């Protein structure tokens, strides 16, 4: 992104920390994005090196836009759980091995001297879609990440619901079969069938090794039968998982990001077939399954939304 030279304005920063990539985003409270930098996470390098890269990206963005650090009013950190949002700790997410009790909020506050808010990535995405995307105007929505892993963010009665200790929405851990590809440390889990890693493991089980979910989706779009079968199976379990969530929470919208939103045509027929078969008809009649309206911007918007969490969801 080409830097824009700015002065006299107030900004927020968003840090999106994921198992595949990290990004630093410069924006404002109206969700205008002025600049961003991203890099591959490479979790095995360790959290200290990744944090150093994040700080380097912050310095580069503020430097090339001629920003005084005091013009950064708030910082939002969007990261996969589990975490402790109240104490600002990242607690060993499955896709970030070694990130055990990392005091990310304190470390960033020490550098930038401004309020910092840590939020589960699915929660932050749900908030972004609720305020600016496919969830606008609704009181009860579920957002599913469907990326490197699978998590759910819940907006219930127009408030973000975190649960007792930030563990609400860990839908990826639900077991859908006694056996199957592993995800979130459990064979046959929702995440095992409906995530980037899970889809790749499904392919490997069928004797198609060394393929990513992206490559499988590209092959399916070209009509490859084996790839289409893998995505049909993933769509089957996605429909099963969505039916459970619908029956429990009775939302108006289920919004799905990541791999689903980029390849809705490949998943939707099987998802709807299972959804119609499994979910309660009365609940189903008031709910639509839709892709993320924010598309590829969802991670950036989520991290900026995390910075505003206290204003939007006090």
């Amino acid at each position: 992104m080409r830097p824009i030279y700015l002065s006299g304005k107030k900004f927020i920063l968003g840090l999106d920390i994921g198992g595949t990539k990290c990004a630093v985003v410069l924006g404002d409270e109206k969700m205008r994005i002025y600049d961003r930098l991203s890099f591959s996470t490479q979790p095995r390098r360790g959290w200290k090196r990744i944090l150093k890269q994040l700080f380097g990206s912050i310095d580069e963005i503020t430097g090339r836009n001629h920003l005084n650090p005091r013009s950064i009013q708030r910082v939002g950190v969007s990261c996969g759980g589990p975490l402790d949002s109240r104490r600002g700790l990242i607690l060993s997410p499955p896709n970030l091995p070694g990130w055990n009790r990392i005091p990310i909020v304190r470390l960033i506050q020490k550098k930038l001297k401004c309020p910092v808010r840590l939020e589960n990535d699915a929660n932050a995405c749900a908030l972004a879609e609720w305020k600016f995307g496919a969830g606008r105007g609704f009181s009860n929505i579920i957002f599913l990440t469907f990326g490197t892993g699978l998590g759910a963010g819940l907006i219930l009665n127009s408030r973000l619901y975190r649960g007792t200790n930030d563990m609400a929405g860990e839908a990826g851990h639900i077991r859908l079969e006694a056996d199957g590809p592993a995800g979130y440390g459990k064979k046959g889990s929702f995440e095992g069938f409906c995530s980037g890693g899970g889809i790749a493991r499904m392919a490997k089980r069928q004797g198609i090794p060394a393929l990513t979910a992206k490559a499988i989706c590209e092959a399916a779009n070209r009509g490859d039968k084996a790839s289409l079968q893998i995505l049909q199976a993933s769509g089957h379990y996605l429909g099963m998982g969505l039916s459970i969530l619908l029956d429990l929470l009775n939302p108006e919208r289920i919004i799905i990001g990541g791999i689903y939103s980029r390849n809705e045509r490949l998943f939707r027929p099987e998802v709807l077939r299972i959804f119609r078969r499994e979910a309660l008809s009365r609940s189903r009649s008031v709910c639509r399954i839709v892709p993320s309206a924010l598309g590829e911007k969802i991670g950036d918007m989520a991290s900026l939304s995390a910075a505003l969490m206290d204003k939007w969801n006090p």
Side-chain angles (χ1 to χ4, degrees):
M1 182 176 289
R2 184 179 178 184
I4 302 170
Y5 296 95
L6 307 159
S7 61
K9 293 175 67 70
K10 303 299 182 183
F11 301 97
I12 57 177
L13 274 180
L15 276 61
D16 180 13
I17 302 175
T20 302
K21 68 173 180 64
C22 293
V24 176
V25 184
L26 177 68
D28 63 22
E29 293 194 6
K30 294 183 178 180
M31 292 293 115
R32 291 177 293 211
I33 296 173
Y34 298 99
D35 204 354
R36 78 185 297 276
L37 284 170
S38 65
F39 58 87
S40 174
T41 304
Q42 298 177 340
R44 292 181 182 177
R45 296 184 64 196
W47 70 268
K48 289 183 179 180
R49 284 193 177 187
I50 294 171
L51 186 64
K52 185 177 180 180
Q53 282 185 277
L54 284 169
F55 283 177
S57 296
I58 291 170
D59 290 341
E60 184 173 345
I61 281 179
T62 55
R64 72 188 187 184
N65 288 291
H66 296 181
L67 296 184
N68 185 316
R70 288 192 296 274
S71 63
I72 305 298
Q73 299 295 292
R74 296 169 177 265
V75 178
V77 182
S78 171
C79 182
L83 47 78
D84 185 334
S85 63
R86 294 171 182 82
R87 297 171 63 193
L89 302 174
I90 297 175
L91 305 174
S92 286
N95 297 313
L96 290 170
W99 288 59
N100 185 25
R101 300 186 65 81
I102 306 304
I104 191 74
V105 165
R106 179 173 60 80
L107 294 169
I108 296 170
Q109 283 177 333
K110 183 177 179 181
K111 177 177 176 62
L112 293 175
K113 308 294 192 295
C114 68
V116 179
R117 192 73 170 83
L118 172 66
E119 193 55 68
N120 177 285
D121 58 353
N123 289 351
C125 287
L127 193 70
E129 287 284 351
W130 179 46
K131 289 291 185 180
F132 302 100
R136 289 184 71 179
F138 298 101
S139 299
N140 298 293
I141 70 169
I142 298 172
F143 178 86
L144 289 182
T145 55
F146 205 144
T148 305
L150 182 94
L154 310 175
I155 303 292
L156 304 177
N157 295 327
S158 298
R159 287 188 61 81
L160 176 67
Y161 181 72
R162 296 187 182 90
T164 303
N165 64 345
D166 283 314
M167 291 299 289
E170 295 294 348
H173 199 249
I174 296 170
R175 195 189 299 277
L176 298 177
E177 288 286 1
D179 192 21
Y184 208 144
K186 181 186 284 186
K187 289 185 177 181
S189 66
F190 197 172
E191 182 171 304
F193 290 110
C194 301
S195 65
I199 288 171
R201 284 187 284 275
M202 290 170 73
K204 188 175 181 180
R205 279 179 164 231
Q206 294 192 21
I208 313 172
L211 277 185
T212 63
K214 180 180 179 182
I216 292 164
C217 290
E218 288 172 349
N221 274 308
R222 295 193 300 268
D224 178 72
K225 289 185 178 181
S227 298
L228 284 167
Q229 288 175 350
I230 291 165
L231 297 187
Q232 184 180 31
S234 180
H236 174 95
Y237 288 105
L238 181 57
M240 294 283 287
L242 295 184
S243 299
I244 293 169
L245 295 176
L246 179 85
D247 289 350
L248 285 173
L249 299 172
N250 191 203
E252 299 158 278
R253 287 289 184 274
I254 298 176
I255 305 166
I256 313 176
I259 294 166
Y260 180 91
S261 67
R262 291 190 288 271
N263 301 278
E264 183 188 15
R265 181 184 67 84
L266 298 172
F267 287 94
R268 188 172 179 81
E270 183 67 8
V271 170
L272 291 183
R273 186 182 76 83
I274 299 300
F275 192 64
R276 289 171 184 142
R277 187 189 78 185
E278 295 291 330
L280 288 166
S281 60
R282 184 168 169 80
S283 297
R284 200 175 65 238
S285 69
V286 296
C287 180
R288 286 185 59 207
I289 301 169
V290 298
S292 164
L294 300 179
E296 299 305 313
K297 297 191 298 182
I298 182 68
D300 294 348
M301 299 281 278
S303 63
L304 293 174
S305 295
L308 300 171
M309 189 71 69
D310 293 333
K311 297 184 71 174
W312 292 345
N313 198 76

